[in-house]
Amino acid sequence: MHASSQVLDRIAVTFDDCHAVAAAGLILPATTSQKLGLEAAADGLVGVGHRPGRKVATVVHAMLAGADCIDDVDVLRAGATGRVVGHEVAAPSTVGSWLREFTFGHVRQLDRLAETMLARAWAAGAGPGDAPLVVDVDSTICEVHGYAKQGAAFGYTRQRGYHPMLATRSDTGEVLHARQRKGSANTARGAQRFVRETIGRVRRAGAAGPVTLRADSGYWSRKVIDACQAHGVRFSLTVRNVAKVRDAIDGIDEVAWADIAYTDAGAAQVAETVLDSHRLIVRRTKIDHPDQQLFDDWRHHAFVTDQTGDAVALDAFHRHHAVCELAIRDLKAEGLAHTPSGIFNANAAWLVLATIAHNLARWTAALGGITRGALVAKTLRRRHLAVPGRLTRSGRRWRLALPARWPWRTAFLSALERIRALPSLAPG
């Protein structure tokens, strides 16, 4: 046996330290949520169960610690972790019973809470202010494997699950709005109302500058365009490959195509025409290398927009819609990794709570001045949240001891100082 193995074999392991903190870095988002008044706002807005604010805060902070199911919230009750989050921690059984009480109306109350937190965070300095705001709308499949999940069904991906709609902020990855749907729901189901709600929410939250909505072909419809125009919002929507789109593309003169940057083994060009009185901008691509050629002719990708500007620049802007997949990836790697209940409305509530947790991490980074890795959930958690610690008290003062030589110590302490300096935005 090697010497290193002998040393490890002699280390005694006990679970008896009442001062240990499982995720001491939670003091950062917990301080942010206190400044924003999360618990008090939930008590005032969510009318289900006793002290709903405590349960909301428990689930949100547990998600930030890596919880993706109801049982995982118990991590907040380990050692002295509960003292770091600043509220009494609800037990998993309590959280599960509370979620099962939710109705559709209660989920809408959680939506109101999410909007309130968004408005307060933006007022504290995390918002776009007068700057342009780009909203990306998309949907995703949250796959489940049990047969007892109410509302779960097979959709276009042939996977059993739910099919929620999400609206994200392109530059920060915040989830601006979310709506749970059955797994069999068509992509465009409820899109018009969702778009109107999202635009109204960001305006009420303080977005005073120009707003542009981007979406893929599932949201291309007259109703969505009307919703954008009614609210003074620009749009950039991918169109489907239907007959009138193909006819419009075929009518483009060859001299109108402009080359854009593409792989060395192929070519890409952009041109524009008109479709239903809107600008139709078309990008066509082709692989020329014989070993990589999949198609003999050009492949076309088109979108309609009412934006002004050069077609090449607008094409690059529209392609940036793919950034919403990063926010969805992080959301599904955090609290939305699973849908823990068998009841549809409980899972709808879990979705909204996951978006609040997702946003709280990004607000903490923005308000705390954390820039490196601020948009990647696992990076934020690894560097600033999943920090082991020990909470002790001496001379009537609490002291949270964190590991020496922590690589991100300076950024952590700077963020905590900046967040603590914020004025409390909770009423009263």
Side-chain angles (χ1 to χ4, degrees):
M1 182 178 294
H2 296 292
S4 59
S5 300
Q6 294 175 6
V7 172
L8 292 178
D9 287 345
R10 293 178 181 178
I11 296 177
V13 178
T14 60
F15 287 88
D16 58 1
D17 191 344
C18 295
H19 300 286
V21 180
L26 287 177
I27 193 172
L28 287 177
T31 304
T32 304
S33 65
Q34 274 195 349
K35 293 294 184 179
L36 300 181
L38 173 63
E39 184 176 355
D43 282 335
L45 293 173
V46 182
V48 53
H50 176 64
R51 297 290 300 273
R54 181 185 304 171
K55 302 177 182 69
V56 166
T58 295
V59 175
V60 167
H61 292 144
M63 287 178 174
L64 290 174
D68 58 19
C69 66
I70 294 173
D71 284 344
D72 283 352
V73 304
D74 234 358
V75 70
L76 298 184
R77 303 204 297 171
T81 307
R83 291 187 177 273
V84 171
V85 296
H87 58 82
E88 292 187 37
V89 178
S93 58
T94 302
V95 171
S97 299
W98 174 67
L99 287 172
R100 287 190 290 272
E101 294 180 32
F102 271 77
T103 65
F104 176 76
H106 293 136
V107 176
R108 296 292 282 170
Q109 291 173 352
L110 268 185
D111 277 337
R112 180 68 181 276
L113 174 64
E115 178 182 332
T116 300
M117 291 298 101
L118 181 72
R120 292 179 181 179
W122 284 9
D130 296 333
L133 172 66
V134 180
V135 178
D136 291 303
V137 176
D138 207 345
S139 62
T140 187
I141 299 297
C142 297
E143 188 177 7
V144 302
H145 302 281
Y147 292 96
K149 299 285 187 180
Q150 187 181 41
F154 291 99
Y156 69 95
T157 63
R158 302 181 185 274
Q159 294 176 322
R160 182 194 299 274
Y162 295 102
H163 190 193
M165 269 191 300
L166 301 161
T168 62
R169 180 178 165 185
S170 67
D171 57 337
T172 66
E174 294 167 71
V175 178
L176 304 173
H177 194 14
R179 176 59 46 79
Q180 186 69 284
R181 299 184 300 180
K182 294 181 178 180
S184 58
N186 182 273
T187 300
R189 181 177 177 180
Q192 178 195 16
R193 181 175 179 179
F194 184 78
V195 167
R196 291 182 183 274
E197 290 178 353
T198 301
I199 297 171
R201 171 176 291 194
V202 299
R203 288 301 191 194
R204 291 189 297 269
V211 178
T212 304
L213 183 136
R214 292 186 300 208
D216 60 23
S217 61
Y219 298 93
W220 173 47
S221 70
R222 180 72 258 173
K223 292 181 178 179
V224 170
I225 292 176
D226 288 344
C228 292
Q229 293 177 330
H231 289 80
V233 169
R234 298 286 188 179
F235 60 85
S236 184
L237 306 173
T238 303
V239 299
R240 293 180 293 277
N241 186 26
V242 296
K244 65 177 182 179
V245 172
R246 293 194 296 269
D247 291 342
I249 293 174
D250 291 340
I252 299 176
D253 195 300
E254 279 297 318
V255 299
W257 293 98
D259 293 328
I260 61 174
Y262 198 57
T263 175
D264 293 338
Q269 298 176 333
V270 171
E272 74 169 285
T273 183
V274 177
L275 179 70
D276 297 334
S277 74
H278 302 301
R279 295 179 72 182
L280 178 70
I281 297 179
V282 187
R283 182 179 75 259
R284 66 180 186 179
T285 59
K286 181 171 62 173
I287 299 295
D288 291 330
H289 195 282
D291 295 336
Q292 301 179 21
Q293 189 170 8
L294 299 177
F295 302 93
D296 295 333
D297 207 347
W298 296 97
R299 297 186 68 192
H300 296 87
H301 313 266
F303 63 96
V304 291
T305 184
D306 62 347
Q307 295 175 281
T308 59
D310 177 71
V312 174
L314 292 180
D315 172 69
F317 170 83
H318 184 77
R319 281 186 282 130
H320 196 62
H321 168 67
V323 74
C324 71
E325 297 294 342
L326 301 179
I328 294 174
R329 174 207 62 188
D330 278 357
L331 189 64
K332 294 172 75 172
E334 299 169 309
L336 206 59
H338 298 96
T339 46
S341 179
I343 300 176
F344 180 83
N345 286 323
N347 289 328
W350 186 268
L351 168 65
V352 180
L353 292 170
T355 65
I356 295 176
H358 173 94
N359 290 342
L360 183 57
R362 280 141 190 84
W363 298 332
T364 299
L367 298 175
I370 299 173
T371 55
R372 295 189 62 183
L375 300 183
V376 182
K378 66 178 183 180
T379 303
L380 279 171
R381 183 180 299 117
R382 179 67 188 90
R383 296 181 177 180
H384 305 291
L385 303 184
V387 188
R390 197 168 189 271
L391 188 65
T392 57
R393 187 177 184 181
S394 177
R396 298 184 179 181
R397 292 192 63 184
W398 288 102
R399 181 174 182 269
L400 181 61
L402 302 179
R405 298 183 296 278
W406 188 255
W408 306 281
R409 169 185 178 275
T410 302
F412 185 99
L413 294 176
S414 175
L416 184 60
E417 182 179 0
R418 293 181 62 166
I419 294 170
R420 282 176 169 173
L422 293 173
S424 176
L425 296 178

